[in-house]
Amino acid sequence: LLDGSLGIPLGSYFLPNLLPKITERDSIHNHSQIYYRKGDYDYSDLGIGLQIELSDRGLFTMKGFKRSPPQIYQSESNELQNHLISYKRETDNSSMAVDALYHIENYNLPVTPENINRQVESFHGGLWIEQNWEKLTLSVQSAFQFSHINCGSTKTTNVTVWNTLKSEFHLFE
């Protein structure tokens, strides 16, 4: 979850998708890929992804992304990075997921003659647990976002927490 009220563009949280593996079962339990794009004036995107199928039927995922903007209008210190670690596990009666995201950006925005500098650093985390019994399903979701923003002469630190509890009881099944 992302708190859109913080004024951070959602597009800056880009992480490349891992391409799906072949649908046939095989002995490979690790799936990795590299995403790289190079452009003019030192523009580049670099993304990495790794998925590991664990023996407990869990799935560990790690993704990273780094963007270097074109240097013709930007300084060399500009950066954008996102790093995500995720663990998911499903069994016959339960599911759970834990996610952590780190985001950092440091940009000089060429919107005025003095170029406004924008620095954002944020940490995100989430937990989802769902348990199914014969007639009852219980789902708990919790997430947080901690962000520090320094844009121009304005500095802001925000903490946002979400919690959701959902239950379903089926009488006639």
Side-chain angles (χ1 to χ4, degrees):
L1 292 172
L2 299 175
D3 184 355
S5 67
L6 299 180
I8 302 171
L10 296 178
S12 66
Y13 289 99
F14 177 76
L15 285 164
N17 288 328
L18 282 172
L19 298 174
K21 291 187 355 177
I22 300 172
T23 55
E24 298 176 26
R25 301 297 293 164
D26 60 16
S27 63
I28 298 175
H29 298 284
N30 298 341
H31 176 62
S32 61
Q33 87 183 33
I34 295 175
Y35 168 88
Y36 181 72
R37 187 168 61 178
K38 181 81 173 153
D40 293 338
Y41 304 104
D42 287 334
Y43 171 87
S44 67
D45 285 347
L46 174 63
I48 59 168
L50 173 66
Q51 280 187 336
I52 301 172
E53 296 175 16
L54 303 171
S55 59
D56 68 350
R57 293 175 46 182
L59 182 65
F60 172 80
T61 304
M62 184 182 80
K63 294 181 183 181
F65 177 76
K66 176 193 168 294
R67 172 170 286 162
S68 298
Q71 299 301 317
I72 190 168
Y73 299 114
Q74 304 283 328
S75 72
E76 292 183 20
S77 65
N78 289 346
E79 67 176 327
L80 168 65
Q81 293 186 33
N82 297 309
H83 306 278
L84 173 71
I85 295 176
S86 176
Y87 173 78
K88 297 178 183 176
R89 182 172 182 241
E90 294 187 13
T91 64
D92 294 335
N93 296 326
S94 65
S95 302
M96 70 89 87
V98 178
D99 300 302
L101 172 75
Y102 174 70
H103 167 83
I104 187 166
E105 68 179 79
N106 181 6
Y107 269 87
N108 288 311
L109 304 173
V111 293
T112 63
E114 56 271 356
N115 283 350
I116 296 173
N117 181 262
R118 174 188 158 112
Q119 299 172 346
V120 177
E121 184 173 26
S122 61
F123 300 89
H124 309 258
L127 171 68
W128 171 65
I129 299 173
E130 183 172 290
Q131 179 68 45
N132 299 311
W133 292 277
E134 284 186 35
K135 295 185 178 232
L136 177 66
T137 300
L138 183 64
S139 176
V140 177
Q141 297 177 3
S142 182
F144 77 91
Q145 176 178 344
F146 176 78
S147 298
H148 178 73
I149 303 165
N150 182 359
C151 186
S153 61
T154 305
K155 292 183 180 181
T156 307
T157 299
N158 299 299
V159 175
T160 306
V161 178
W162 299 269
N163 290 299
T164 304
L165 174 64
K166 178 182 171 186
S167 64
E168 294 178 10
F169 187 75
H170 302 274
L171 294 174
F172 303 108
E173 284 189 14

